[in-house]
Amino acid sequence: MTRTNGRTMSASLKGAALAVIFSTSAAAAAENAIRIALSSPPTTLDPHFHNLTPNSALSMHVFEPLFRIDEKSGRAAPGLAKSWEAPDERTWIVNLAEGVTFSNGKPFTANDVIYSICRIPTIKDSPGSFMGQIQAVENIEALSPHQIRITTKGPYPILPVDLADVMIVSAETAGAGAVTFGLKGCNGFVEGPTDKYNSTDLAVGTGPFKYTSFVPGEKIDLVANDKYREGKAVWDKVTLRIIPNDVARVAALLSHEVDLIERPPLQDLSRIKANDKLAVTGTVSERIIYLAFDVEQEPTPGIKGTDGKNPFKDKRVREAVTHAISRDVIVEKVMRDQAQSAGQLLSPGSFGYFETGFAPDSYDPEKAKALLSEAGYPNGFELVIGATNNRYVNDARIAETLAQMLTRVGIKTSVDASNFSIFSEKRNKYQFSSYLGGWGNGSREGIYTFRSLVATRNTKEGMGSSNRGRFSNAKVDNLLREAQRTNEEGKRLELFRKIAEIVKEEKAILPLHYEMATWAHSADIAVQPSADQRTVASRFSPKP
């Protein structure tokens, strides 16, 4: 008898199971296929519905943007746009790649770009829209089938960076003819509803793969797009399995049910590395893990012992919380040194990260107690922290550790941890007084992070889309608007510094640490690690 994953398995059953496994593995190899286990489920095939890392990673298999972010420089690089220029501060002439077709054979033209931009404001019930990526656009014109002119409302130097997150879909497949852009609605536009994308009817792109099936929360199947402009994809077939449970994900890798897993649990890294059939590849990621506060509602959910007051409206309480937290303990004990303590929201290598002046807040529990007393809470209060248990590395354990630290200074804290879908629903309905969040800055540009996390929520301007604590500071908003109009990088950097200083001074949101981006995989597979933490099959290849 052999015990595997807590279950007993007879020798004969084990032999049969191994035969199936090896047979499946051999079949996968013969098909040039890769089987990947994801830790978090993409919520949709619609590339414009929800601006979320798992969704963006999935979209990159099938769709392409005009621009990409170069992994090394962090600057815009060609995507479906082969070249571009800015003849003045508000105008961009973009030359599109020619001879490109969607996977269904429809030709890619300027009309598809206009349709895609027009579609974003029409998305219904988006929990995280892409409006911020297009909010600067005043007009788009097709100068020819493969050249467009984009006019912005003012100087906007990061337009290519913003549009790197906007995937291009097929206008013709959606049933649209010639589309003319308009700020209050586009002429000739035909709605492409999200459910049609999720059924794969409209989820047609120019990328290396195309969808064959989508079982929400379970599995996504893709095959190579034989019309891909850059030639044959590295894999003929890709299977993305959703395995949120860490133990099950590692077991699937160890038993060769899958070839690669994302976010291997830290406690299993040594065991995986010791297996000569497996390997681990990683790099420092762009993702910041933070603690946010509800600074608007009063009373606020999850708080007891304050006579209905929201204590987080008082900066002294937020400051007490940050000094109650030992980031070093979290990094060393919870993250097993697979993270880096953070004192600012931007990660190293981002435009807006500062080498000096933003050390992580000190661990000083006595100061935390004094601040609570000064704020009128000498006996503390009760708090429930919201957190995910399947989205970020050791997220639930981090939240539990935070709860212990806060309890020690008098804030009797418990944790409401749930899967990302449930957590997101509660957070978006403002049902947390405080929550553990994560943010990946795929653009490497400070505007993206500040605009999403700390700008006052304003859907028309695309501001504050992920600011669910509803922090609001007019100086931050004005500095951000000025940064968005500033072409000169040195001046923009100074504006970012001022924003970062206010955020740190106000304790608007508490940076905790930067995650590592890590994948565990078959030793026969080469992995090109990316700081954006996105699991994309084209970044993996069979070793020669």
Side-chain angles (χ1 to χ4, degrees), residues 32 34 58-63 103 203-212 221-226 228 232-238 536-540:
N32 187 32
I34 186 168
L58 180 62
S59 292
M60 290 171 68
H61 289 81
V62 171
F63 301 95
S103 61
V204 175
T206 61
F209 300 100
K210 56 184 180 182
Y211 296 120
T212 57
D221 290 310
L222 306 98
V223 296
N225 171 15
D226 59 8
Y228 183 44
K232 188 176 182 298
V234 67
W235 304 104
D236 295 330
K237 180 180 177 182
V238 176
V536 184
S538 54
R539 292 174 174 175
F540 316 129

Side-chain angles (χ1 to χ4, degrees), residues 180-376:
T180 304
F181 183 84
L183 280 177
K184 296 184 179 179
C186 298
N187 293 324
F189 179 80
V190 172
E191 184 180 4
T194 291
D195 59 350
K196 293 287 187 183
Y197 280 84
N198 286 337
S199 67
T200 75
D201 291 347
L202 300 184
V204 175
T206 61
F209 300 100
K210 56 184 180 182
Y211 296 120
T212 57
S213 70
F214 173 47
V215 182
E218 294 186 20
K219 191 177 73 163
I220 301 129
D221 290 310
L222 306 98
V223 296
N225 171 15
D226 59 8
K227 298 178 177 60
Y228 183 44
R229 65 194 175 96
E230 295 188 0
K232 188 176 182 298
V234 67
W235 304 104
D236 295 330
K237 180 180 177 182
V238 176
T239 300
L240 303 174
R241 290 180 56 190
I242 314 303
I243 309 182
N245 182 275
D246 286 348
V247 174
R249 204 161 60 253
V250 171
L253 179 69
L254 294 173
S255 64
H256 307 287
E257 291 179 47
V258 298
D259 305 300
L260 180 146
I261 64 173
E262 64 178 12
R263 304 180 192 282
L266 302 181
Q267 62 271 22
D268 290 319
L269 289 181
S270 298
R271 182 162 61 119
I272 294 171
K273 289 177 180 177
N275 187 326
D276 61 5
K277 301 293 185 185
L278 302 175
V280 175
T281 305
T283 187
V284 176
S285 84
E286 305 159 345
R287 184 175 303 284
I288 179 73
I289 301 299
Y290 62 86
L291 188 66
F293 305 104
D294 172 15
V295 294
E296 181 169 299
Q297 299 178 97
E298 193 167 63
T300 178
I303 293 283
K304 293 182 180 177
T306 62
D307 293 329
K309 291 183 178 179
N310 178 352
F312 296 129
K313 294 170 78 75
D314 189 325
K315 189 185 83 171
R316 294 170 294 185
V317 175
R318 304 195 295 271
E319 189 173 0
V321 170
T322 197
H323 289 298
I325 297 170
S326 172
R327 290 162 176 79
D328 289 344
V329 167
I330 292 174
V331 169
E332 293 172 14
K333 304 298 183 184
V334 182
M335 300 300 290
R336 303 193 182 204
D337 291 322
Q338 294 294 307
Q340 179 178 323
S341 295
Q344 54 191 309
L345 296 176
L346 272 295
S347 59
S350 299
F351 188 76
Y353 172 83
F354 300 100
E355 295 287 347
T356 60
F358 294 92
D361 288 334
S362 62
Y363 174 55
D364 190 340
E366 294 307 314
K367 184 175 182 178
K369 292 176 184 176
L371 284 163
L372 285 175
S373 182
E374 184 182 329

Side-chain angles (χ1 to χ4, degrees), residues 9 13-28 35 251-258:
M9 184 182 292
L13 281 175
K14 180 186 177 189
L18 288 174
V20 171
I21 289 166
F22 289 138
S23 174
T24 303
S25 180
R35 300 154 303 169
L253 179 69
L254 294 173
S255 64
H256 307 287
E257 291 179 47
V258 298

Side-chain angles (χ1 to χ4, degrees), residues 1-2 11 41 72 89 113 115 134 145 176-177 213 218 228 245 319 331 339 354 395 402 421 427 437 443 461 516 534:
M1 301 288 283
T2 301
K72 293 182 179 178
E89 291 182 336
V113 178
Y115 176 84
I134 66 166
S213 70
E218 294 186 20
Y228 183 44
N245 182 275
E319 189 173 0
V331 169
F354 300 100
D395 41 13
L402 290 173
S421 296
R427 183 195 59 183
S443 74
E461 289 188 86
M516 289 284 290
R534 294 176 183 177

Side-chain angles (χ1 to χ4, degrees), residues 493-512:
L493 206 55
E494 280 307 305
L495 293 167
F496 287 162
R497 177 178 284 278
K498 291 178 181 176
I499 294 172
E501 287 172 346
I502 294 173
V503 171
K504 188 171 181 62
E505 170 63 25
E506 290 296 316
K507 309 301 178 193
I509 182 171
L510 303 183
L512 298 178

